[in-house]
Amino acid sequence: MKHLLLPCALALVTTFLTGCDNKVKTYPVTGTVKFTDGKPLAGGTVEFRSVNSDVAKQVNARGEIGADGKYQLTTFNPNDGAIAGEHQVCVFPPSRDTPGNFSSEPPPSPLQRKFLAYETSGLKYTVQTTGPNVYDIDVGQKVPGSP
């Protein structure tokens, strides 16, 4: 029995020191954010949130939108994608420069307000474990008067 004690102790210490890899697997997700007229949303952020009734188990993935409207999601490491399964999606416009003198209002956001929240965006996508996960997001009409 004593001859098994040392190997078991070493295995336990090795596991403790190296830790367990509990990270959920992610899958690459890319796409383009466009208005209904086909023009890209230049800048901003896309967020995917896994659908789970247990809020503590929801996982978010985020991607910066480039000048060409393209995005690539990140969950744990840069551009690693999102976890598999159904996701609610919201889109945030590029940050607006606020006038330094505050004497005038900044221009309106180009996005309709509904796209700013998971609950109102109406956007849902399912991240697959196989095949490409390319999701082009239509954010409707551009808000009149926006840049």
Side-chain angles (χ1 to χ4, degrees):
M1 185 72 164
K2 287 185 177 183
H3 67 281
L4 291 177
L5 187 58
L6 182 59
C8 289
L10 285 173
L12 183 63
V13 169
T14 303
T15 301
F16 178 74
L17 291 176
T18 58
C20 297
D21 187 10
N22 292 343
K23 187 168 65 170
V24 179
K25 183 153 176 50
T26 56
Y27 301 89
V29 177
T30 62
T32 305
V33 181
K34 296 180 183 178
F35 294 101
T36 301
D37 64 5
K39 293 180 182 172
L41 173 64
T45 307
V46 174
E47 287 191 12
F48 278 48
R49 179 177 73 184
S50 63
V51 174
N52 193 317
S53 59
D54 183 351
V55 175
K57 293 183 179 178
Q58 292 175 341
V59 179
N60 285 30
R62 175 177 295 150
E64 295 297 317
I65 303 168
D68 57 358
K70 294 186 183 296
Y71 69 90
Q72 187 169 0
L73 294 183
T74 293
T75 299
F76 303 111
N77 297 306
N79 303 321
D80 63 352
I83 66 170
E86 187 177 12
H87 291 75
Q88 292 177 300
V89 178
C90 59
V91 181
F92 298 100
S95 59
R96 299 178 284 173
D97 292 330
T98 305
N101 61 9
F102 299 102
S103 63
S104 63
E105 288 289 317
S109 167
L111 288 177
Q112 298 171 34
R113 291 182 59 84
K114 72 178 190 173
F115 292 108
L116 302 177
Y118 297 113
E119 297 76 19
T120 58
S121 74
L123 300 171
K124 284 190 177 182
Y125 298 99
T126 302
V127 176
Q128 305 289 332
T129 59
T130 59
N133 290 296
V134 179
Y135 301 109
D136 292 336
I137 301 172
D138 182 341
V139 290
Q141 299 289 332
K142 190 174 187 179
V143 171
S146 64

